[in-house]
Amino acid sequence: MAEVNAETLATSPEAVAQQLAASRYLADESLATAIFLAIRLGKPLLLEGAPGVGKTEAAKAIAEMLGRDLVRLQCYEGIDAAHALYEWNYQRQLLAIRHAGEHEIDIYDDRFLIARPLLQVLRAPEQRVLLVDEIDRSDHEFEALLLEFLSDFQISIPERGTIRAAAQPIVILTSNRTRELAEALRRRCVYHWIGYPDAAREADIIMLRAGDVAEDTARAVAAAVLTIRARPLAKPPGIAEAVEWANAATILEKGGSPWPEAFRRAIGVLIKDEEDLSYIAPELGRIVEEALA
């Protein structure tokens, strides 16, 4: 992957949007501006929004735009420093001690150090982008640890000393807003809320990311999904599910199913909750017909 200087590409929000589009991600003006400012100001980018609106995909597109590897730290309840920062490979250390016999050995050499995502990025900040995914799933203790990391971009290893980033890393945090994040963390970031796109933008996204899907099909899917999301569903479909529904319905149509029937038969790739399926089933025919009209 060819590395690109971040500020060379981020000359304006419009340039950022064009580069992201080249990576098959359509960013509106406000998102492109947030990304531009985060890069130019050297601040973390916090993306909040419902599941499925494209937060993680935005991080992937930013890394691709910059020609950098994406290092992803997936958060979960109970995540701790050993999973985020580093840990020692105790098994290898014990084996090395046994093999060394009477000879001296440095058991805190690099070969025994397991670098986790935060340390990986510190070691090569100009080659990697850090994604801290679903930070709201972690607890407050881990959030405090991350805040400390973002303050100085350094890690202290008692046996090795302090490791500092040679350059300012690019960091992206995502949150589904299942809980409120600490104000201190929010203040450190450039913030952007990603909502579901309108029907026209979602149709453009479907045509960009789907396979052999006609424009009329993409626009019908976008219109139908917009209506379905307005219903009180437990798990509203995300953008990825809309793309999959368009692909699946197209495959079924080419296999002989007429359009309204193809959409109905492919509903399992759009709605993935039993109660939601039962709720939407009586309306689905009408929703699809109106979308196709």
Side-chain angles (χ1 to χ4, degrees):
M1 186 176 289
E3 179 193 339
V4 180
N5 181 277
E7 293 193 2
T8 300
L9 282 178
T11 56
S12 68
E14 292 74 21
V16 168
Q18 290 175 3
Q19 293 292 335
L20 291 174
S23 298
R24 299 173 65 240
Y25 188 92
L26 296 183
D28 60 19
E29 181 184 12
S30 58
L31 175 56
T33 300
I35 295 169
F36 167 75
L37 291 175
I39 292 173
R40 296 304 293 265
L41 296 174
K43 296 172 71 70
L45 174 64
L46 173 58
L47 300 176
E48 277 197 321
V53 295
K55 302 182 296 295
T56 301
E57 289 301 316
K60 292 178 181 178
I62 292 169
E64 183 177 339
M65 174 186 78
L66 298 174
R68 302 184 182 187
D69 296 324
L70 182 70
V71 178
R72 180 177 181 180
L73 176 60
Q74 177 63 54
C75 295
Y76 53 88
E77 186 177 357
I79 189 173
D80 58 14
H83 292 89
L85 299 173
Y86 71 93
E87 62 181 323
W88 293 106
N89 190 329
Y90 297 114
Q91 294 296 327
R92 288 197 65 187
Q93 286 174 320
L94 289 173
L95 286 173
I97 292 171
R98 290 174 186 170
H99 290 155
E102 298 295 325
H103 301 287
E104 288 189 4
I105 181 172
D106 182 5
I107 62 171
Y108 297 113
D109 186 73
D110 268 356
R111 57 195 170 120
F112 303 115
L113 182 64
I114 302 174
R116 298 306 185 192
L118 301 189
L119 180 55
Q120 291 174 24
V121 171
L122 282 191
R123 284 176 159 178
E126 295 180 321
Q127 287 83 44
R128 294 167 180 159
V129 171
L130 175 63
L131 167 61
V132 183
D133 216 3
E134 298 183 317
I135 180 64
D136 54 316
R137 294 182 62 185
S138 67
D139 54 29
H140 293 286
E141 288 76 11
F142 178 77
E143 193 175 322
L145 172 71
L146 181 63
L147 181 61
E148 184 178 353
F149 171 81
L150 295 176
S151 297
D152 303 316
F153 289 112
Q154 65 181 34
I155 293 175
S156 294
I157 303 176
E159 303 84 357
R160 298 291 302 277
T162 300
I163 299 176
R164 296 179 177 83
Q168 187 86 359
I170 290 179
V171 181
I172 302 162
L173 298 84
T174 72
S175 168
N176 295 330
R177 208 168 188 177
T178 58
R179 69 170 177 85
E180 284 294 326
L181 302 179
E183 284 301 314
L185 182 63
R186 289 182 177 275
R187 287 197 299 268
R188 189 161 297 279
C189 302
V190 173
Y191 176 83
H192 183 72
W193 172 268
I194 300 182
Y196 288 114
D198 59 28
R201 176 169 289 274
E202 188 149 21
D204 291 339
I205 294 171
I206 292 170
M207 286 185 285
L208 183 66
R209 302 190 70 90
D212 187 19
V213 172
E215 181 177 349
D216 289 346
T217 302
R219 302 207 177 281
V221 166
V225 169
L226 184 67
T227 302
I228 290 171
R229 285 196 191 118
R231 301 297 186 266
L233 303 181
K235 297 179 181 179
I239 297 172
E241 285 77 26
V243 173
E244 291 172 358
W245 195 30
N247 274 328
T250 298
I251 291 170
L252 290 173
E253 190 272 338
K254 289 183 177 179
S257 294
W259 267 125
E261 181 67 11
F263 282 119
R264 186 191 64 78
R265 294 178 65 183
I267 193 63
V269 301
L270 181 72
I271 305 294
K272 300 180 181 179
D273 179 86
E274 181 182 4
E275 292 184 1
D276 287 346
L277 279 171
S278 298
Y279 180 88
I280 208 70
E283 292 187 88
L284 184 60
R286 179 183 58 79
I287 291 173
V288 169
E289 287 178 4
E290 290 178 356
L292 287 168

